[in-house]
Amino acid sequence: MARLLFAITLTVCCLPLLPGVGGLLASAFAFLPTLGLTEANFSGWHQVMAWPALWQSIQLTLISGLGSSLLAVAFSFIILQAAWHTPIWQKISTRLPALLALPHVAFAIGLVLLLSPSGWLFRLLSPLLGEKPVTWALVQDPYVIGLTLALTLKETPFLLLMSLSVLRQIDVARLTMVSTSLGYNRTATWLKVILPLWLAKMRFPIFAVIAYSLSVVDVAMILGPNTPPTYAVLVWQWFNDPDLALLPRASAGALLLFALCGLALLLFRFLEWLGCQCLNRWQYTGRRHAWLPGKLLWWPVFITPLAIMPVLLVWSFALRWSFPDWLPSRYSLRFWEQELSYVWSLVGNSIVLAVISASVALLFAIGCLERSTNQRRSVPRAVIAIPLLVPQLSILFGIQVAVYSLPGQWHVPATIWSHIFFAFPYVYLALDGPWQQFDMRLMQTARSLGVSATLAWWRVKLPLLLPAIILAWAVGASVSLAQYLPTQLLGAGRINTLTTEAVSLSSGLDRRISGLYGLMQAMLPLIVFALATVLSRIAERRLLPTSTPTYSGAKHHDTVCQSTHHKRA
Amino acid sequence: MKHWIAAMTLSIASVVSLTASASTENDRWESIEQQANGQTVYFNAWGGNQEINAYLRWANRELQRDYGVTLKHVKVADIAETVNRLLAEKTAGKDSGGSVDMVWINGENFKSMKENDLLYGPFVSTLPNWQIVDKSLPVEEDFTEPTDGLEAPWGVGQLVFIHDKRTLANPPRSFAELLSLAQANPGRVSYPKPPQFHGTSFLKAALLELTDSPEALYLPVDEVDFNAVTAPLWRYLDQLHQVAWREGSQFPSSSAETLQLLDDGEFLVAIAFNPNAAKAAVASGKLAPSARAFAFDQGALSNIHFMAIPYNANAKAGAMVAINFLMSEKAQLRKADTQVWGDPPVVKLSDTAEVSRFNTQPEPHPSWQTALEAAWLKRYGQ
């Protein structure tokens, strides 16, 4: 069974890449017979290189992409070292899923409403700053500060969540005990002992963050500068150039984006090696005391999404709200009335896509994980890596061409496929830790009592891992809910979700409508996560043989990612 | 295979029928309406304006009731996305059953679709409502490119400026005056960044006023001395950017953003491509009641926006019925209402009280579009 699932996973996640990459390569080298381009050449590459603002654009991408990833890594480590298994940790870990669930687009729209020169922050400060908006900006600024900070704040919760299972594998408590006995304080222990171990195990999630930040289009369109834009946005604009003869330029640009991502990942790996293996004297020079501002850093990560929601809410009920008023001068239900009847079909589409893709991705992930436990063969990393690391923009065009070459209409299956494809690695990563930690002796005990392998799996393993499975499903659903490019490209624009609607409406820059859709877009994954958390707690409670209130209260953080009861059982 | 042959015969028959003699035209249109009954038309159109989106939802209700045609608005951020999708379909040999039945285009995108044979037609003269179209408007030319019956007119666009009477009592009457205004109020004037549609239109309008040889703009770019014709424009922009919003290091990304910035008090002058944009924005609460549209003395750069059918559309009959309906007096009158959208009509209406237009200035040859965008980008895009 696991083997079959594994084979299907490989087919679904790897086969479509062939036409995807093929189509991209062909058009990057100007081989597009329908356009009359029948001889391959380098014209696309020359056009890319001749683009006046190419290097500035790439610079902005590297600053915002690498900068935000490194900051997010630093933030999450600093928060972890200060908070891990302290009283504040419980608060942090229960709030993580909510932070993670907030879609990037809603987050970006909210930040604009909050931090642009006429945003709420500056309206509140207007008595100090004057009646006219300030002439500098925190968002859409030419130095990509706004975009970098937004990506940092958005990626930190993801890395924190991924750290949960990683840190359990490291056995922080024993390491801390040993180094405390050697005279190292908590922070020094974390820096010198835990950081290298943590970095090595966090490599995949960090790679995912880097690749995402370098190739993100929707958020960069909303928060980034436009003269020039970041490189991914530039490639997206090239794809949308009305002059079709320029398509090789877009495809060559997409390949270059792919190469940039690859280089950035190598660079990160090199830095990690440099710090932890090559120049690692700092680990044993003997300084035993260090301090990092962990709890201070937690607040911006936590507060910003909280501050965004009321701004979205107020704008969605505003009719007129001119600068520098703190609140709208006229309210109206008009936009809610106008949209509400229409929004249900969008919500329906979003939910159907999310449920199908999260469930299928979950099955795939369980299949792959079971295969690696049974046969001691781990899944080829490529299966997880490709969807995480390939810039979406780079492969979707080729896949689009491939889908169109099939007879008939394939918008719906193609879109569902792409959602599964992009949700799968996140679901897998969310389940990897719990699966590795599962104590196989429980299964052996069950078998020794005369239960078949299948029955043991259903009766012992599944119930114990159910809380983790439910939350992994929710992660998959929230990934699907946030997909813009695949839905738009493969769905031929016919499949409307809250996310495609929010992005296409953001081009009209009506803050009231943007606020409404941003809010709707944020609510759906929040509801999914809230339900998932409740369900996983119920599933967990059923496992506890006797109710021990103090005990379950202390372990709330465990429910976020996995269950470890079997160890105590 | 049989189905395929049947489908081909049908479509050939329908094409033949469209070009048949005038005496049977009414019958032909009736048969198109019969074919259209029950079809779903996927209309790819810009989806960034909620008033337009709401108008199309109304059109869908009307079409469903009267013709059994369902009009589905496929919202796109830029219609070029759709042109690209059609190319992808053509690349893959999908010459029928395509994903797009109807598009909202003009100018560069029309030229691109026409040159790549992505359009179905000519079909426009078979539409009954073609008879009521106001032929004094340039409805058979799109940025000097002949439409050849491949796209049907929908509305009139005019490049206008908007000011708020309370913050700016005397709006500028020319690009020269706009520069003086910017110099007197540093940081409070700018324009959308080309190649965004409104930004490029701003460049074309400015060039028409500033250049010594405006007639050259109606010729293809490669037939004139581009550098000589455009030199005054670059001198002007160099001066303007020094005193522009964020000193010309950033530009708004769209017309909608200039409206927002006007309302926020960051801008003194916003840009739109609809003579009724100010009224419509006041009606919807986006701008203060004191906002007014105005055009420069040279006239407003004007063009028609159109609807077309892709060559591989699945519901061609339904698309024709929908287009015909959108050109009807009823649909055009509602569209012209500033409480609804405020887009000026392309047909002769019995009641034109709501409609205001400025003196028109025709669009330059489409080749100027790309040439100006490229030159602008080279100078200011980094």
Side-chain angles (χ1 to χ4, degrees):
Chain A
M1 186 63 187
R3 193 182 298 171
L4 181 67
L5 272 176
F6 177 72
I8 299 176
T9 309
L10 276 188
T11 321
V12 169
C13 292
C14 292
L15 265 191
L17 287 174
L18 296 176
V21 174
L24 183 68
L25 279 173
S27 73
F29 292 98
F31 184 75
L32 283 164
T34 29
L35 283 180
L37 304 170
T38 49
E39 272 176 44
N41 60 51
F42 286 95
S43 62
W45 294 92
H46 293 310
Q47 284 160 355
V48 169
M49 293 303 157
W51 188 259
L54 180 72
W55 297 113
Q56 286 88 333
S57 212
I58 290 178
Q59 247 173 13
L60 291 177
T61 298
L62 291 178
I63 295 170
S64 63
L66 273 179
S68 66
S69 309
L70 293 177
L71 275 177
V73 171
F75 271 39
S76 47
F77 178 76
I78 292 170
I79 292 169
L80 281 173
Q81 61 83 25
W84 180 252
H85 279 224
T86 63
I88 196 180
W89 179 249
Q90 199 179 314
K91 279 186 198 153
I92 292 181
S93 57
T94 45
R95 281 164 184 73
L96 273 183
L99 296 183
L100 204 67
L102 185 66
H104 285 80
V105 170
F107 187 71
I109 292 173
L111 273 189
V112 169
L113 298 183
L114 194 65
L115 297 181
S116 65
S118 56
W120 216 5
L121 186 68
F122 291 98
R123 287 168 191 258
L124 294 177
L125 294 175
S126 64
L128 301 172
L129 298 169
E131 293 283 287
K132 280 180 194 166
V134 294
T135 50
W136 44 273
L138 285 173
V139 293
Q140 294 160 333
D141 58 295
Y143 311 105
V144 286
I145 298 168
L147 179 61
T148 309
L149 286 181
L151 289 174
T152 307
L153 294 177
K154 198 68 195 76
E155 296 308 331
T156 305
F158 172 68
L159 290 178
L160 284 174
L161 188 71
M162 288 295 139
S163 300
L164 287 177
S165 59
V166 163
L167 285 177
R168 287 215 183 80
Q169 293 167 36
I170 291 176
D171 202 353
V172 177
R174 261 170 58 194
L175 289 174
T176 315
M177 223 152 64
V178 173
S179 43
T180 311
S181 70
L182 291 171
Y184 289 86
N185 76 352
R186 182 184 168 102
T187 304
T189 305
W190 274 77
L191 269 177
K192 297 185 178 194
V193 182
I194 297 170
L195 176 66
L197 296 169
W198 177 75
L199 271 181
K201 288 198 181 268
M202 285 291 286
R203 208 170 284 151
F204 257 96
I206 293 174
F207 278 6
V209 168
I210 296 175
Y212 174 82
S213 312
L214 287 172
S215 61
V216 61
V217 172
D218 41 15
V219 177
M221 281 200 297
I222 298 171
L223 286 176
N226 62 9
T227 327
T230 60
Y231 183 64
V233 175
L234 190 62
V235 174
W236 174 239
Q237 287 170 356
W238 286 344
F239 266 116
N240 287 332
D241 195 297
D243 186 356
L244 298 176
L246 289 173
L247 207 59
R249 176 182 71 182
S251 307
L255 271 184
L256 183 60
L257 179 64
F258 186 33
L260 271 178
C261 280
L263 280 179
L265 298 183
L266 282 179
L267 179 69
F268 175 79
R269 181 71 186 92
F270 175 72
L271 288 177
E272 188 201 323
W273 172 82
L274 204 65
C276 298
Q277 270 138 308
C278 180
L279 305 172
N280 59 353
R281 257 183 61 82
W282 57 274
Q283 284 178 4
Y284 46 84
T285 45
R287 276 184 56 89
R288 286 173 163 78
H289 290 271
W291 180 82
L292 287 169
K295 283 162 197 166
L296 293 180
L297 278 182
W298 166 246
W299 287 109
V301 175
F302 175 58
I303 291 281
T304 323
L306 269 192
I308 279 170
M309 301 300 274
V311 196
L312 293 174
L313 186 71
V314 177
W315 265 112
S316 74
F317 286 107
L319 183 65
R320 264 212 61 70
W321 189 4
S322 56
F323 191 83
D325 297 350
W326 287 17
L327 286 172
S329 53
R330 286 174 66 195
Y331 292 89
S332 163
L333 281 173
R334 168 177 157 182
F335 298 99
W336 283 93
E337 282 168 359
Q338 184 185 308
E339 298 304 313
L340 216 51
S341 60
Y342 175 70
V343 115
W344 293 119
S345 73
L346 300 176
V347 172
N349 286 350
S350 305
I351 290 179
V352 168
L353 273 173
V355 167
I356 295 178
S357 51
S359 309
V360 175
L362 188 69
L363 274 180
F364 285 178
I366 292 177
C368 291
L369 287 164
E370 277 304 310
R371 182 178 179 272
S372 54
T373 12
N374 290 343
Q375 312 190 359
R376 311 242 168 270
R377 255 182 293 176
S378 66
V379 183
R381 283 304 206 182
V383 181
I384 309 149
I386 291 170
L388 272 182
L389 307 183
V390 169
Q392 288 195 340
L393 198 50
S394 301
I395 50 164
L396 282 172
F397 178 76
I399 290 176
Q400 195 184 18
V401 174
V403 169
Y404 288 144
S405 58
L406 302 169
Q409 306 259 9
W410 292 86
H411 309 301
V412 176
T415 310
I416 293 174
W417 165 78
S418 68
H419 279 233
I420 296 170
F421 180 75
F422 290 114
F424 168 73
Y426 290 94
V427 176
Y428 183 91
L429 282 181
L431 282 179
D432 192 29
W435 239 261
Q436 284 192 19
Q437 279 188 305
F438 182 78
D439 193 342
M440 284 308 284
R441 283 173 300 185
L442 287 170
M443 291 290 276
Q444 286 156 9
T445 312
R447 295 294 305 277
S448 74
L449 293 171
V451 178
S452 77
T454 319
L455 199 62
W457 193 88
W458 282 103
R459 299 284 294 275
V460 178
K461 192 165 186 177
L462 184 67
L464 282 171
L465 290 171
L466 199 58
I469 289 175
I470 293 171
L471 284 162
W473 184 88
V475 169
S478 76
V479 171
S480 158
L481 288 173
Q483 294 298 320
Y484 171 66
L485 284 184
T487 321
Q488 192 68 8
L489 278 174
L490 297 182
R494 286 185 182 190
I495 300 173
N496 295 326
T497 63
L498 279 174
T499 301
T500 61
E501 197 77 3
V503 176
S504 77
L505 283 172
S506 74
S507 71
L509 227 93
D510 188 331
R511 290 178 177 175
R512 301 153 313 173
I513 289 289
S514 292
L516 195 155
Y517 275 91
L519 199 67
M520 291 291 225
Q521 213 209 348
M523 289 314 291
L524 205 53
L526 277 181
I527 292 170
V528 170
F529 260 105
L531 275 178
T533 311
V534 170
L535 281 178
S536 87
R537 285 202 186 141
I538 292 172
E540 190 178 19
R541 208 155 294 155
R542 279 183 40 205
L543 292 175
L544 290 172
T546 51
S547 73
T548 44
T550 46
Y551 196 62
S552 71
K555 285 192 294 88
H556 267 169
H557 61 267
D558 285 340
T559 61
V560 171
C561 200
Q562 65 198 89
S563 148
T564 50
H565 300 277
H566 49 274
K567 288 196 168 165
R568 295 176 184 124
Chain B
M1 192 65 186
K2 256 184 195 164
H3 290 287
W4 186 80
I5 291 171
M8 277 304 285
T9 328
L10 253 179
S11 66
I12 290 169
S14 69
V15 170
V16 171
S17 72
L18 295 182
T19 48
S21 61
S23 63
T24 54
E25 230 163 50
N26 274 339
D27 302 342
R28 297 298 175 215
W29 183 251
E30 265 169 30
S31 85
I32 289 174
E33 284 188 341
Q34 272 166 15
Q35 267 184 56
N37 198 333
Q39 286 189 337
T40 299
V41 176
Y42 288 93
F43 181 24
N44 286 43
W46 182 62
N49 183 309
Q50 212 50 17
E51 282 82 48
I52 301 178
N53 298 348
Y55 174 74
L56 287 174
R57 284 180 216 160
W58 168 80
N60 172 42
R61 288 194 295 274
E62 296 283 308
L63 278 162
Q64 274 184 343
R65 193 191 59 211
D66 295 347
Y67 302 95
V69 171
T70 306
L71 185 72
K72 285 232 163 115
H73 181 189
V74 176
K75 298 191 190 68
V76 292
D78 187 333
I79 197 67
E81 287 169 29
T82 303
V83 180
N84 257 303
R85 184 174 309 125
L86 287 168
L87 172 80
E89 293 185 354
K90 192 169 183 188
T91 309
K94 198 173 194 64
D95 292 333
S96 64
S99 66
V100 185
D101 297 308
M102 196 173 145
V103 285
W104 179 19
I105 48 169
N106 75 345
E108 193 61 10
N109 288 302
F110 170 67
K111 187 165 168 262
S112 180
M113 285 187 76
K114 190 180 170 191
E115 279 171 1
N116 287 289
D117 296 323
L118 292 173
L119 289 165
Y120 164 76
F123 70 92
V124 175
S125 57
T126 58
L127 305 176
N129 283 332
W130 175 245
Q131 306 305 326
I132 60 166
V133 167
D134 182 355
K135 306 289 193 312
S136 68
L137 294 165
V139 289
E140 294 183 81
E141 244 185 14
D142 190 356
F143 288 55
T144 73
E145 179 79 31
T147 60
D148 295 339
L150 296 169
E151 52 175 5
W154 192 16
V156 181
Q158 290 199 302
L159 185 68
V160 296
F161 299 88
I162 299 171
H163 72 116
D164 189 328
K165 277 197 305 186
R166 285 176 315 172
T167 50
L168 180 68
N170 295 311
R173 304 172 63 102
S174 64
F175 281 94
E177 285 188 27
L178 184 71
L179 178 60
S180 330
L181 179 74
Q183 282 163 339
N185 300 280
R188 303 190 62 193
V189 169
S190 190
Y191 54 94
K193 186 201 163 202
Q196 202 278 336
F197 178 65
H198 297 82
T200 312
S201 303
F202 179 89
L203 295 186
K204 286 188 283 193
L207 184 57
L208 275 165
E209 175 187 313
L210 300 165
T211 184
D212 303 323
S213 44
E215 66 287 347
L217 268 71
Y218 297 96
L219 299 170
V221 162
D222 46 16
E223 288 173 23
V224 300
D225 183 352
F226 181 77
N227 289 333
V229 174
T230 57
L233 175 68
W234 310 125
R235 276 200 299 278
Y236 176 85
L237 291 179
D238 286 340
Q239 286 175 287
L240 181 66
H241 290 178
Q242 279 173 16
V243 291
W245 184 66
R246 300 195 187 164
E247 285 154 358
S249 70
Q250 288 295 302
F251 294 86
S253 57
S254 63
S255 152
E257 193 173 347
T258 66
L259 250 64
Q260 183 68 63
L261 289 165
L262 176 75
D263 197 40
D264 290 342
E266 285 197 62
F267 271 27
L268 290 171
V269 171
I271 295 174
F273 219 100
N274 176 346
N276 296 313
K279 280 184 201 157
V282 170
S284 79
K286 279 185 215 166
L287 290 180
S290 47
R292 293 284 179 279
F294 65 97
F296 289 164
D297 290 347
Q298 62 173 348
L301 197 65
S302 302
N303 62 44
I304 307 285
H305 51 92
F306 296 88
M307 300 168 286
I309 303 172
Y311 82 109
N312 62 353
N314 198 33
K316 293 195 177 82
M320 280 196 272
V321 169
I323 290 174
N324 190 56
F325 169 74
L326 290 171
M327 287 162 70
S328 68
E329 171 148 4
K330 183 183 186 185
Q332 290 272 320
L333 198 61
R334 186 178 168 91
K335 177 167 69 77
D337 183 350
T338 50
Q339 297 284 335
V340 176
W341 174 359
D343 191 49
V346 288
V347 301
K348 297 180 210 109
L349 293 181
S350 40
D351 170 22
T352 51
E354 275 291 336
V355 182
S356 59
R357 268 187 231 141
F358 295 96
N359 290 334
T360 61
Q361 190 174 37
E363 282 278 356
H365 187 268
S367 58
W368 283 88
Q369 180 120 347
T370 5
L372 281 174
E373 283 164 1
W376 188 93
L377 209 65
K378 211 161 213 148
R379 280 163 188 273
Y380 309 115
Q382 12 197 320

